[in-house]
Amino acid sequence: MNSTAFQKIYTKLNQITKATCSVKAAGVGNEEMAIVSGRYAQVVKIIGDSVTLQIFSGTEGIGTDAEVVFLGKPPVLKVSDQLAGRFFNAYGEPIDGGPEVEGEEVEIGGPSVNPVQRKQPSELIATGIAGIDLNNTLVTGQKIPFFADPDQPFNQVMATVALRAEADKIILGGMGLSNDDYLYYKNTFENAGVIDRIISFVNTTENPPVERLLVPNMALTAAEYFALEKKEKVLVLLTDMTLYCDALSIVSNRMDQIPSKDSMPGSLYSDLAKLYEKAAQFPDGGSITIIAVTTLSGGDITHAIPDNTGYITEGQLYLRRDTDISRVIVDPFRSLSRLKQLVIGKKTREDHPQVMNTAIRLYADAANAKTKLENGFDLSDYDERVLKFAREYSQAILAIDVNIDTVNMLDTCWELFKKHFNKHEIGIKEEFMTQYWK
Amino acid sequence: MTKGIVTGIVSNLVLIEVQGPVSQNEICSVVHEGLPLMAEVIKVLGNTAYAQVFESTRGIRIGTEVEFTKKMLEVSLGPGMLSKNYDGLQHDLNKMKSVFLKRGEYTEALDYDVKWDWTPIAQPGDKVTGGDWLGEVPENWIKHKIMVPFTMTAEYTIKSVTPAGQYTIDETVAVLVDKASKEHKINMIQTWPVKLSVRAYKDKPRPSRQMETGIRTIDTLNPIVEGGTGFIPGPFGAGKTVLQHSLSKNAEADLIIVAACGERANEVVELFTEFPHLDDPRTGRKLMERTIIICNTSNMPVAAREASVYTAMTIAEYYRTMGLKVLLLADSTSRWAQALREMSNRMEELPGPDAFPMDLPAIISNFYARAGFVYLNNGNTGSITFIGTVSPAGGNLKEPVTESTKKAARCFYALSQARADSKRYPAVDPLDSYSKYLEYEEVQEYLNANVSPNWVEEVLHTKDLLIRGREAYDQIGILGEDSVPLAYHDRYWKSELIDRIILQQDGFDPIDSSTPMARQRYMLELILSICDMDFDFDSFEDVMPYFTKMINLCKQMNYAEYGSVTFKRYESELHTLVAERRISK
Ligand SMILES: Nc1ncnc2c1ncn2[C@@H]1O[C@H](COP(=O)(O)OP(=O)(O)OP(=O)(O)O)[C@@H](O)[C@H]1O
Ligand SMILES: [Mg+2]
């Protein structure tokens, strides 16, 4: 945060609002970083000689005579292998007591990848969780959030996925993370002995909310370095994107922008897309995969945040407690991985797509049977059978603490099909029936 | 040329103090560190021009120089566009070599070093006007017509036509003379401002010919026509993009233009990756050879997103004037509307509903109106069929973009969350969706003449059966399975048979993914014949197993090669099964 001699220093603020201040200055670039009274700020608007700055940690106590130092560059991160194993704040400054990172200074939130230079994602990410591997297979280069209620164990599931995913680097972008959750991640990674593969950029609930806006781009800039320069498989975890969006709305509100739905800025879709679209499979092997968390309020997915997210990401995962078996499952109905068809039946066994669909259809029939039961109607023989099937399917496969490979998952499905149903109730292509219905 | 300097920057809106005349929608370059960043004037107030920059404005300073071009946003039209991948401003993405898109690095839309095999069509002495054909060059498998530029709307006399031979696009292929005896040299390139519609045709009648898409729920139930318009609204994940990709692969069009407007890059990569390998069943060539992709993904600049749909439409109009059947797909038009909203917000305009600009309905309907079937000046026909997707906020169709589009488009393919959740793909809701064309007399005549003599009646009957099935299902749900008459079960399962066999289609199966009209007719008539039969059931519990068996056999038929031994085997098994319980009248 040191200012050097050639930087321009101004001391006449002519406007101060809750999040921004304006100063008369010349030669300033749009989106340039500055330091106002020792606090980081960024240029968000320039009209004539009046430069408006957004002060990340708020304007409390800022005086009209505050010293404004322009840094002559947008937010940057120094990238090199030294990032590995380190913990940083939203500005990319170490918070683990370690030394400053040396490396090339890169602008964060840089340009997007030329679409024709991308490669089609085709590498499966195995997690051992059937709700993912069987029903919603993840692929490198994908972006997908957990849509979860705040009380659901999404941080635990995400940490499990991250550890099993066999990524070269795991980059955690924590936004409004509680200190406990931050320590949970830290300990989990440490205990698993993978700390040298982890990089964290963390804004906790103790830090000013607007600072969060820098976190995803810090994480993604580091990810681009490892994916492109080092051709590594990088997994980026972003939690909680809802808190990121809240920060966006605070800023736009204070800039007097007309809000659109749910008091979110009208540009929410583009703002989120710019981040999520950093997920990519690069031609020479490196990839960036983004797994995010978007917390819902009361399960409402029509709220602007999950709604816009769903339109951007390649599917979404829901957690649900299956009360029949008292365990958490990845909800087979609403969860979806859009990229799964690139790998299922191709990188996995050929019967995968049909087995997956059939099992889910039967699971849906079970849900209908349950409704019937609740409404006091008699169950048919078929209803009884799908209910039994659903319970066993949930128990043996779906529960997130089950850890098996896809072949095993598929075989188990076939066993359950045979156990509970007739051939014609299955409706799978005949060539697979002859092969697997034994 | 007018010049100016930047006096303000608010996100991608820049204020420019101009020294000279400027026009609305004029294109200018903001020269940032030697790079010309394209921008479009969207408002002029005194000597301040407001311009939206088609790039990130990061680092731009007050005092930065701006150069105006005197031109509106234009595309370059000429042979060589087929198979290309353009950004929203028609820069060739394949010519950009770095992994990241570099600001201000613009590439040519056309290739200047390729020689084309020119054959004249017109003769010296012919009277011509904008859009008339002068000659042609083969472009992949189409005969690309070289036309009198659309901007030349007066009448001209051809002075000379260059003899057949190999020429590059910038060589003169004809010389025209206007009324004032001035000569105009014509080469194979012309430009056109994208926001204006090309009107180089004689007449735009009501469309009447069906456009086959291979998708049963569209072709059979709610057909679209050549030159028709349609839209696909649906919540996220309901299958809009998959449906559009199926259309782009299977539709009976000469040319497909796909505008990926503010959606995911990976989805476009899918096209880039697959289309060069997939066969076009009608020509035996690769799909990519009939496709142009305009790609402005969600992370690319917002202003260029708005431009991308116009770029795509203008290219479609150009090919339509060659007498071709063009299918234009845009995914998603909501992103385009949002780009308009972002800009209108920044301009501090008075917002309309949901903060969209007040004139959104007019903008949308003007755009849809550019599609259509036309008679060209020379009597040939051409068409643009346009199908856009709409991504309604919260999946709620009562929102400005859906409502405005509903007024503009004639086919409505509503994707339902419930159908998508239960994996009933394509999730087009059979009861909510409609095709206005089915009510057109000329379309009805066409269908009855070309598909089957009673086709329209059969389709309407199918819809009735679906409605009755839904009603029966609701009754069963309310009263309980054993408290309703057996006929309700029968009715419900017959609609289920139609749903599972005709409406649902496996978009990823090599055979089922596309069904030719003849096969659609065969299957519909087969299913309807079963629906018109009476069956003998002892109890309601017999109904479902019987129909699931039937559905299973019909599904196997759908997966089998049409008319093959396997197909026939399943069919005869089906007939045996049907005979088991059929009550002969
Ligand atoms: N016809 C189909 N057959 C099988 N699966 C399908 C079909 N249509 C959609 N799906 C499934 O649904 C997923 C989402 O479909 P799609 O990407 O087309 O949704 P969308 O409506 O375009 O969503 P968004 O608005 O978010 O772009 C697909 O990845 C696929 O898994
Ligand atoms: Mg889509």
Side-chain angles (χ1 to χ4, degrees):
Chain A
M1 233 190 249
N2 302 327
S3 48
T4 37
F6 53 82
Q7 285 164 330
K8 291 161 273 183
I9 300 177
Y10 297 85
T11 54
K12 253 207 154 34
L13 268 55
N14 51 27
Q15 196 192 1
I16 306 173
T17 69
K18 268 189 189 164
T20 65
C21 69
S22 301
V23 62
K24 287 211 180 314
V28 176
N30 194 27
E31 296 182 17
E32 185 172 328
M33 288 294 278
I35 294 168
V36 180
S37 262
R39 300 180 199 178
Y40 276 115
Q42 186 174 18
V43 174
V44 288
K45 181 172 169 180
I46 312 175
I47 301 289
D49 60 358
S50 173
V51 177
T52 306
L53 292 143
Q54 161 185 313
I55 303 178
F56 289 104
S57 56
T59 52
E60 291 87 348
I62 297 272
T64 49
D65 59 348
E67 189 182 84
V68 183
V69 183
F70 289 96
L71 302 182
K73 58 190 175 196
V76 290
L77 175 71
K78 282 196 176 143
V79 293
S80 72
D81 284 350
Q82 294 177 15
L83 286 167
R86 301 292 308 277
F87 289 80
F88 305 93
N89 66 11
Y91 307 106
E93 297 165 337
I95 51 169
D96 53 6
E100 289 280 335
V101 168
E102 284 161 30
E104 194 197 337
E105 205 168 71
V106 183
E107 289 185 14
I108 70 164
S112 39
V113 176
N114 181 347
V116 301
Q117 298 280 347
R118 286 171 180 253
K119 217 180 134 225
Q120 186 168 38
S122 64
E123 200 180 326
L124 179 149
I125 300 180
T127 68
I129 299 172
I132 296 177
D133 295 5
L134 179 67
N135 293 340
N136 299 292
T137 325
L138 300 184
V139 185
T140 57
Q142 183 167 12
K143 46 196 178 289
I144 192 163
F146 279 99
F147 280 174
D149 283 326
D151 61 341
Q152 288 180 322
F154 51 83
N155 282 323
Q156 286 82 325
V157 178
M158 203 150 85
T160 311
V161 169
L163 289 177
R164 291 198 194 149
E166 293 176 354
D168 297 318
K169 289 282 177 305
I170 300 167
I171 304 184
L172 174 68
M175 290 151 282
L177 208 57
S178 75
N179 201 48
D180 295 357
D181 287 339
Y182 164 56
L183 292 175
Y184 167 79
Y185 274 106
K186 204 170 166 195
N187 292 338
T188 310
F189 293 147
E190 258 163 10
N191 293 341
V194 296
I195 208 80
D196 55 322
R197 291 200 274 134
I198 310 284
I199 304 161
S200 300
F201 296 89
V202 184
N203 155 279
T204 65
T205 40
E206 289 158 25
N207 305 127
V210 179
E211 277 182 15
R212 277 171 214 161
L213 295 179
L214 294 169
V215 168
N217 270 322
M218 284 287 170
L220 290 163
T221 303
E224 277 176 350
Y225 168 76
F226 287 102
L228 276 166
E229 305 290 319
K230 304 284 160 182
K231 307 187 183 10
E232 292 189 347
K233 244 168 88 175
V234 184
L235 182 63
V236 177
L237 310 177
L238 299 175
T239 175
D240 169 354
M241 288 302 285
T242 298
L243 297 177
Y244 172 85
C245 297
D246 287 343
L248 278 179
S249 80
I250 294 175
V251 171
S252 84
N253 179 275
R254 290 184 184 157
M255 303 261 309
D256 293 329
Q257 284 165 7
I258 308 158
S260 67
K261 205 168 164 265
D262 298 317
S263 2
M264 284 291 143
S267 59
L268 182 65
Y269 176 83
S270 307
D271 295 338
L272 288 175
K274 256 184 219 122
L275 300 176
Y276 282 118
E277 281 292 333
K278 294 267 178 195
Q281 175 70 55
F282 298 104
D284 43 14
S287 64
I288 299 176
T289 309
I290 301 178
I291 301 182
V293 169
T294 300
T295 48
L296 308 176
S297 111
D300 178 14
I301 61 153
T302 62
H303 184 281
I305 299 172
D307 186 48
N308 279 283
T309 304
Y311 276 121
I312 293 163
T313 52
E314 283 143 351
Q316 62 282 330
L317 300 169
Y318 290 87
L319 298 177
R320 175 155 73 82
R321 198 173 171 75
D322 186 334
T323 47
D324 285 346
I325 60 160
S326 295
R327 280 149 89 191
V328 174
I329 62 170
V330 175
D331 191 334
F333 294 150
R334 298 181 299 163
S335 305
L336 174 70
S337 159
R338 311 267 186 112
L339 299 190
K340 64 173 181 248
Q341 49 263 21
L342 297 175
V343 292
I344 61 171
K346 294 174 185 156
K347 298 283 160 96
T348 61
R349 212 166 70 189
E350 54 188 0
D351 56 326
H352 185 160
Q354 296 224 341
V355 170
M356 165 190 85
N357 284 331
T358 304
I360 293 177
R361 180 168 54 78
L362 295 168
Y363 198 73
D365 287 346
N368 289 340
K370 221 178 266 175
T371 317
K372 251 162 102 179
L373 197 61
E374 282 157 11
N375 294 343
F377 294 129
D378 291 341
L379 294 187
S380 67
D381 161 60
Y382 178 79
D383 292 332
E384 304 276 4
R385 287 183 290 129
V386 283
L387 281 175
K388 278 199 205 109
F389 164 81
R391 200 184 162 84
E392 287 170 33
Y393 173 66
S394 200
Q395 180 97 13
I397 300 197
L398 283 191
I400 49 166
D401 47 332
V402 176
N403 181 8
I404 51 177
D405 65 19
T406 26
V407 173
N408 207 330
M409 294 171 195
L410 292 170
D411 289 343
T412 314
C413 284
W414 280 108
E415 272 165 36
L416 295 177
F417 291 165
K418 268 181 294 181
K419 186 168 163 196
H420 299 289
F421 304 102
N422 307 321
K423 266 190 176 182
H424 70 81
E425 285 167 330
I426 297 302
I428 288 182
K429 253 194 195 177
E430 188 138 316
E431 56 172 297
F432 298 139
M433 290 300 280
T434 35
Q435 203 172 343
Y436 298 103
W437 184 278
K438 285 186 197 133
Chain B
M1 261 337 139
T2 301
K3 294 204 173 217
I5 55 161
V6 172
T7 58
I9 308 153
V10 188
S11 194
N12 73 329
L13 179 72
V14 294
L15 280 60
I16 303 161
E17 191 184 296
V18 287
Q19 297 124 17
V22 284
S23 358
Q24 175 72 335
N25 297 110
E26 184 169 346
I27 295 295
C28 56
S29 292
V30 178
V31 189
H32 173 63
E33 294 174 350
L35 293 173
L37 309 183
M38 259 173 98
E40 179 186 16
V41 175
I42 51 174
K43 176 164 123 181
V44 184
L45 235 164
N47 62 349
T48 300
Y50 292 68
Q52 56 173 343
V53 186
F54 293 122
E55 303 275 2
S56 153
T57 54
R58 180 178 273 186
I60 295 181
R61 294 179 164 76
I62 302 300
T64 299
E65 272 194 30
V66 182
E67 292 165 2
F68 290 81
T69 61
K70 275 201 135 103
K71 288 180 173 167
M72 295 203 280
L73 183 63
E74 288 180 343
V75 286
S76 302
L77 303 164
M81 292 193 288
L82 272 184
S83 320
K84 281 228 160 47
N85 304 314
Y86 291 124
D87 75 3
L89 306 173
Q90 210 205 8
H91 301 120
D92 186 342
L93 288 167
N94 291 82
K95 287 185 187 141
M96 303 177 187
K97 289 301 165 213
S98 55
V99 173
F100 290 102
L101 295 167
K102 291 208 179 110
R103 266 201 292 188
E105 193 192 277
Y106 300 133
T107 52
E108 290 290 350
L110 301 173
D111 305 325
Y112 285 81
D113 49 357
V114 177
K115 283 198 186 280
W116 297 91
D117 202 358
W118 157 262
T119 312
I121 294 175
Q123 313 278 340
D126 287 357
K127 301 254 186 272
V128 291
T129 184
D132 286 353
W133 302 349
L134 296 170
E136 62 187 26
V137 300
E139 180 186 15
N140 293 349
W141 62 284
I142 68 159
K143 289 186 175 134
H144 186 117
K145 304 292 186 289
I146 305 301
M147 297 171 274
V148 177
F150 302 142
T151 46
M152 297 173 69
T153 47
E155 194 184 75
Y156 302 84
T157 308
I158 298 181
K159 183 178 172 217
S160 64
V161 180
T162 309
Q166 307 270 322
Y167 306 99
T168 57
I169 51 171
D170 51 358
E171 288 181 83
T172 301
V173 290
V175 179
L176 310 186
V177 182
D178 64 20
K179 292 253 160 68
S181 307
K182 195 173 160 243
E183 287 192 2
H184 301 264
K185 285 187 176 159
I186 307 295
N187 58 22
M188 298 188 212
I189 317 164
Q190 60 166 314
T191 58
W192 183 260
V194 297
K195 299 248 165 106
L196 304 181
S197 62
V198 173
R199 294 197 185 274
Y201 52 79
K202 192 165 59 197
D203 191 17
K204 205 182 211 181
R206 294 213 321 175
S208 63
R209 292 207 286 252
Q210 179 179 24
M211 169 174 268
E212 274 191 47
T213 67
I215 298 163
R216 298 190 288 264
T217 188
I218 294 180
D219 291 352
T220 293
L221 219 56
N222 290 304
I224 187 142
V225 293
E226 271 180 58
T229 52
F231 80 117
I232 309 172
F236 62 77
K240 299 180 289 297
T241 306
V242 172
L243 187 56
Q244 278 214 338
H245 283 195
S246 308
L247 286 167
S248 66
K249 287 176 193 160
N250 303 316
E252 188 83 53
D254 295 326
L255 201 86
I256 312 279
I257 301 175
V258 180
C261 171
E263 291 286 311
R264 303 171 186 83
N266 275 338
E267 291 171 349
V268 193
V269 172
E270 197 177 315
L271 303 182
F272 294 157
T273 316
E274 291 180 357
F275 275 31
H277 305 290
L278 289 177
D279 293 321
D280 175 357
R282 292 159 318 121
T283 59
R285 305 182 68 141
K286 297 298 172 202
L287 275 180
M288 200 60 216
E289 294 185 46
R290 67 158 188 180
T291 309
I292 300 172
I293 297 171
I294 313 293
C295 162
N296 188 274
T297 55
S298 56
N299 53 339
M300 287 160 83
V302 175
R305 189 198 293 170
E306 192 229 322
S308 67
V309 292
Y310 291 100
T311 298
M313 181 57 92
T314 310
I315 294 175
E317 288 172 327
Y318 175 68
Y319 279 99
R320 171 173 68 185
T321 319
M322 294 176 203
L324 295 172
K325 223 194 291 183
V326 183
L327 175 64
L328 176 61
L329 300 168
D331 187 14
S332 149
T333 59
S334 292
R335 305 301 162 222
W336 158 49
Q338 285 179 339
L340 295 170
R341 173 168 75 183
E342 282 185 34
M343 201 33 73
S344 141
N345 249 284
R346 245 161 243 142
M347 305 261 292
E348 295 174 359
E349 289 172 357
L350 206 61
D354 287 3
F356 281 106
M358 289 297 263
D359 53 351
L360 183 74
I363 295 173
I364 291 178
S365 81
N366 284 342
F367 187 78
Y368 274 80
R370 288 173 72 169
F373 182 90
V374 299
Y375 284 112
L376 303 173
N377 296 334
N378 60 13
N380 283 294
T381 63
S383 65
I384 299 173
T385 308
F386 175 60
I387 301 179
T389 65
V390 169
S391 318
N396 178 0
L397 300 189
K398 290 214 174 337
E399 58 91 42
V401 184
T402 314
E403 287 180 335
S404 309
T405 310
K406 211 165 179 178
K407 287 178 202 143
R410 311 243 83 196
C411 290
F412 175 66
Y413 301 114
L415 298 190
S416 112
Q417 182 76 62
R419 282 184 78 85
D421 284 347
S422 51
K423 316 267 183 245
R424 291 171 175 251
Y425 292 124
V428 178
D429 188 303
L431 302 185
D432 291 349
S433 303
Y434 59 77
S435 162
K436 288 270 179 209
Y437 298 115
L438 211 47
E439 297 161 15
Y440 285 28
E441 250 169 56
E442 48 273 63
V443 175
Q444 295 183 344
E445 268 167 35
Y446 180 90
L447 291 170
N448 289 341
N450 287 278
V451 185
S452 170
N454 282 321
W455 186 248
V456 176
E457 215 168 285
E458 284 167 358
V459 171
L460 297 177
H461 182 46
T462 309
K463 291 189 176 204
D464 287 340
L465 290 175
L466 288 166
I467 294 172
R468 291 177 57 192
R470 172 82 59 97
E471 288 164 357
Y473 180 75
D474 290 344
Q475 288 301 312
I476 297 171
I478 296 166
L479 302 172
E481 285 183 324
D482 44 3
S483 319
V484 295
L486 246 173
Y488 282 42
H489 290 274
D490 178 72
R491 223 174 274 164
Y492 165 63
W493 278 99
K494 280 176 176 164
S495 73
E496 199 58 12
L497 178 67
I498 297 174
D499 194 334
R500 299 248 194 117
I501 302 308
I502 305 296
L503 305 184
Q504 292 176 44
Q505 194 169 358
D506 186 340
F508 301 110
D509 183 82
I511 291 175
D512 197 34
S513 57
S514 175
T515 312
M517 220 45 221
R519 183 173 181 160
Q520 293 193 31
R521 169 195 172 177
Y522 189 84
M523 287 309 286
L524 185 74
E525 291 179 348
L526 175 69
I527 298 294
L528 285 182
S529 74
I530 296 176
C531 290
D532 289 339
M533 291 173 194
D534 292 323
F535 294 105
D536 175 30
F537 295 111
D538 295 333
S539 112
F540 78 88
E541 290 194 311
D542 297 340
V543 183
M544 180 182 119
Y546 187 62
F547 273 96
T548 24
K549 270 190 211 156
M550 247 193 255
I551 289 169
N552 190 32
L553 286 171
C554 294
K555 236 176 141 173
Q556 304 293 352
M557 285 174 75
N558 275 349
Y559 281 127
E561 197 88 53
Y562 183 45
S564 67
V565 180
T566 336
F567 182 88
K568 292 193 175 126
R569 181 162 55 82
Y570 289 125
E571 192 177 5
S572 74
E573 278 182 47
L574 177 70
H575 287 308
T576 315
L577 180 67
V578 164
E580 275 175 25
R581 286 183 183 271
R582 180 173 182 188
I583 307 169
S584 36
K585 284 180 199 166

